Each structure stands twice: as structure tokens, then as C-alpha cells.
Amino acid sequence: MLCGLTILLTGYAHQSIQAQNKKEMNTEGKKISDFPVGEPNTGYAQYFSGNSWVAPLTSNSALNVPVSNVTFEPGCRNNWHSHTGGQILIAVGGVGYYQERGKAAIRMEPGDVIEIAPDTEHWHGAAPDSWFAHLAIACNPQTNENTWLEPVTEEEYKTAVK
């Protein structure tokens, strides 16, 4: 009987470890809008707290309007950063937040549009309990460059999403 209990508990422990590893290595985004989720955002993962996915929606560079759908798992957000050419965000699924440095955070829901002026330090990401997706539009792409700054602290995030 003791041997059977040990095997049963070992099995539960193994399943728990597998579940934890899967949570930490989440490679599949949740489709929460009509836009594709895309691929894991590995190229910029160092600038995100949590997992995100990116799906480029435009491919004609002659149009000069790069648009991507970005999907964030609950609690995921990017670091403080700025864009020399500005940015436009259009919420398309779930609930998220946008915050400019020194200002209160703005709750974002599908249909909300945020216009970010050039060189404005900000962050954006998902609510703690919701997936979030937005279209990210790079303004003035011929000269637009990102400047990545420090991560949003847990305290800053918790204050922003109250």
C-alpha cells in the first residue's frame, strides 16, 4: 500500500513540475481577436516581463506603414521605452494598460486607440487577469527607432492596474 501511495504521489509531483515548466515556457498565444497571434516574440523577449507573440500584418514596405498584432499573456508587459517616430496602439482583444511616465495608466479595451507622441516614455501590456492584444503601428518608420529602458517594476505595475 505504501509503495502504491509513493508512486501515486511521485506521479502527481511529476505532473505538477510539468505543468509549472509548461507555464514558464508558454509557446502558444491565445487567439483573442480576429487577427493572427503570430510567433513567440523571442527577438524582443528581453524587453518584456512575461510572454508575448507578434504577427506582422503588412508586408509592402513601399507603403511605409508597418502594422503588427501583439498578443500578451496575462500580466505580461514591455519595459519602459520610447519611439523616435511615435506609435499608435489599437486594442483588439482582452484588457490591457498603457502608461506614460509620470501619468496615470489608461485601461485599454477593444476599440480603444492610443496615440503616442515621438520620444514619449511609456509601457503597455496585459491586465493581470486577462490576455490582451493590440495592433502596433510604427509611425514615421523611415526614422523611427526604439529606445528600450528599464523594466516596469512589480510595484509600478500593481499601482497602474488598481
Side-chain angles (χ1 to χ4, degrees):
M1 178 68 174
L2 184 58
C3 181
L5 182 58
T6 302
I7 291 170
L8 180 63
L9 291 175
T10 302
Y12 283 131
H14 180 69
Q15 287 175 343
S16 178
I17 290 169
Q18 283 181 320
Q20 182 64 29
N21 286 344
K22 185 172 182 170
K23 183 178 178 185
E24 289 172 5
M25 300 182 333
N26 187 359
T27 58
E28 289 189 29
K30 184 176 179 181
K31 186 166 176 59
I32 59 170
S33 75
D34 289 337
F35 296 97
V37 174
E39 298 297 320
N41 189 9
T42 56
Y44 290 90
Q46 65 186 338
Y47 305 116
F48 283 71
S49 298
N51 295 307
S52 64
W53 294 259
V54 176
L57 302 178
T58 56
S59 59
N60 186 341
S61 60
L63 295 176
N64 254 345
V65 185
V67 180
S68 294
N69 183 49
V70 182
T71 302
F72 301 80
E73 70 181 353
C76 176
R77 68 269 185 191
N78 49 34
N79 288 8
W80 289 101
H81 65 285
S82 63
H83 308 268
T84 58
Q87 185 179 39
I88 298 171
L89 305 176
I90 303 171
V92 294
V95 177
Y97 287 87
Y98 164 81
Q99 184 176 27
E100 291 182 11
R101 195 171 309 262
K103 296 185 179 180
I106 298 170
R107 181 181 167 100
M108 295 182 69
E109 296 180 356
D112 290 340
V113 177
I114 302 288
E115 296 175 294
I116 306 165
D119 301 313
T120 301
E121 291 183 5
H122 66 281
W123 66 267
H124 35 101
D129 58 352
S130 177
W131 285 79
F132 178 59
H134 65 53
L135 302 183
I137 303 166
C139 303
N140 304 297
Q142 61 281 10
T143 60
N144 198 345
E145 294 181 19
N146 287 12
T147 300
W148 290 102
L149 305 167
E150 75 278 6
V152 175
T153 67
E154 284 300 315
E155 184 177 317
E156 287 173 319
Y157 180 72
K158 287 178 183 176
T159 299
V161 301
K162 276 188 191 177

